[in-house]
């Protein structure tokens, strides 16, 4: 969907559907013929779908019109991990905090991401609050715990394979300290005033260059950033400014593998920098806020 104005309509439209999340069904076949529930021409079109953990029924999720499968966060985690969570809701900031013996989860609806033990999941626009219940995309949530969601076309259901079920490594252990330091610094100095997806895009450019084996770029994240003549913020000294919390989150999302600009290896703000060379020799991949990204 992508527009926050549509979210409110979608929430109202599928609120009635959510009641079925807690009701057991006999089998996947019972809902194989369920039809999309169209709420509004500008709202979410969703289809109820059964979700199984191996052969065990977990509950009902929702497949959106752009093929994103959504699940109730707390219900999903308690069923898969066999633990109970305490939930706190901070109304003013629209922030949910879920705690169990081993997990601390925070999610602010307007942020576009959630944090699980210091690890970050990028939610884009696919998080909803339905009558006080948070529903989120299943794929990245499941992957963080080593689960592999697959679609069973014959039974019309989602199956989570649990043979590799694990607790996620905490953020302090997962993110390489030096890479996080320099990536968050370049993101902040180059795009500190940009939206989250644009900040991630700047980090993606650095990481795409670091992964390039053509010899055109230095190796490693720090090497890419300090390659002569590549980033003006190095010469200006702003690379050393302390990054914002949002820039650090963007860097962590990049290190998790999230990408908003594809294979782009260059970016420019055409309002303050010449884009003639880029338009002549490179391919515009995407424009995000003030930046054009080129591959």
């Amino acid at each position: 969907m992508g527009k926050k104005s549509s979210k409110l309509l979608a929430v109202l439209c599928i609120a009635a559907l959510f009641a079925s999340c807690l009701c057991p069904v006999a089998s996947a076949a019972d809902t194989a013929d369920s039809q999309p529930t169209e709420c509004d021409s500008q709202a979410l079109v969703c289809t109820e779908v059964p979700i199984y953990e191996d052969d065990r029924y977990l509950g009902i999720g929702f497949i959106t019109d752009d093929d994103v499968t959504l699940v109730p966060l707390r219900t999903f985690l308690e069923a898969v991990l066999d633990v109970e969570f305490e939930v706190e809701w901070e109304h003013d900031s629209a922030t949910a905090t879920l705690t169990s013996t081993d997990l601390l989860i925070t999610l602010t609806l307007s942020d576009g991401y959630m944090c699980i033990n210091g690890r970050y999941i990028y939610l884009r626009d696919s998080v909803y609050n339905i009558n006080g219940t948070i529903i989120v995309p299943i794929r990245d949530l499941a992957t963080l715990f080593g689960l592999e969601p697959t679609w069973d076309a014959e039974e019309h259901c989602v199956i989570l394979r649990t043979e590799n079920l694990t607790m996620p490594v905490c953020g302090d252990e997962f993110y390489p300290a030096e890479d996080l330091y320099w990536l968050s610094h370049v993101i902040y100095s180059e795009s500190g005033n940009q939206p989250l997806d644009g900040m991630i895009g700047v980090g993606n450019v650095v990481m795409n260059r670091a992964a390039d084996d053509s010899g055109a770029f230095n190796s490693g994240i720090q090497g890419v950033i300090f390659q002569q003549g590549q980033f003006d913020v190095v010469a200006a000294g702003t690379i050393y400014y302390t990054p914002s919390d949002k820039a650090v989150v963007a860097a962590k999302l990049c290190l998790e593998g999230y990408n908003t600009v594809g294979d782009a290896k260059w970016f420019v703000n055409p309002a303050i920098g010449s884009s003639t060379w880029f338009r002549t020799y490179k391919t515009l991949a995407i424009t995000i806020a003030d930046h054009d990204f080129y591959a």
Side-chain angles (χ1 to χ4, degrees), residues 133-146:
T133 297
I134 305 298
I135 62 171
V136 299
I138 190 175
R139 177 164 294 279
D140 291 335
L141 178 63
T143 300
L144 191 64
F145 290 92

Side-chain angles (χ1 to χ4, degrees), residues 15 80 134 152 221 229:
V80 169
I134 305 298
D152 187 316
I221 287 174

Side-chain angles (χ1 to χ4, degrees), residues 34-108:
S34 59
Q35 297 298 313
T37 301
E38 185 168 355
C39 313
D40 184 277
S41 60
Q42 294 181 324
L44 184 68
V45 178
C46 55
T47 305
E48 292 186 6
V49 58
I51 298 177
Y52 286 81
E53 178 190 47
D54 297 321
D55 295 327
R56 182 169 71 99
Y57 175 75
L58 293 183
I60 290 292
F62 306 103
I63 297 182
T64 69
D65 56 341
D66 53 354
D67 294 324
V68 176
T69 302
L70 304 167
V71 293
L73 175 61
R74 180 183 182 180
T75 303
F76 172 83
L77 289 173
E78 289 187 337
V80 169
L81 302 178
D82 194 25
V83 297
E84 292 186 2
F85 283 89
E86 293 185 3
V87 180
E88 295 182 8
W89 175 255
E90 210 290 310
H91 182 268
D92 290 342
S93 63
T95 298
T97 303
L98 291 77
T99 56
S100 70
T101 303
D102 299 314
L103 290 172
L104 172 63
I105 301 171
T106 57
L107 188 160
T108 299

Side-chain angles (χ1 to χ4, degrees), residues 152-188:
D152 187 316
E154 183 176 345
E155 295 292 339
H156 295 274
C157 65
V158 174
I159 300 177
L160 297 169
R161 302 300 182 190
T162 63
E163 58 264 24
N164 296 317
L165 175 64
T166 56
M167 294 294 288
V169 174
C170 69
D172 289 342
E173 297 179 37
F174 182 80
Y175 303 116
E178 183 173 301
D179 288 347
L180 177 60
Y181 178 90
W182 288 115
L183 197 60
S184 60
H185 276 69
V186 75
I187 287 173
Y188 179 66

Side-chain angles (χ1 to χ4, degrees), residues 269-282:
N269 182 342
I272 60 176
S274 174
S275 59
T276 302
W277 181 84
F278 298 100
R279 293 196 306 269
T280 302
Y281 297 104
K282 300 300 175 184

Side-chain angles (χ1 to χ4, degrees), residues 2 8-9 18 40 50 67 103 113 118 135 143 149 152 156 158 197 216 241 245 254 256 281 286:
L8 296 178
L9 293 172
F18 180 72
D40 184 277
D67 294 324
L103 290 172
Y113 59 84
I135 62 171
T143 300
D152 187 316
H156 295 274
V158 174
D197 54 348
Y241 287 3
D245 291 343
C254 290
E256 289 282 358
Y281 297 104
I286 191 172

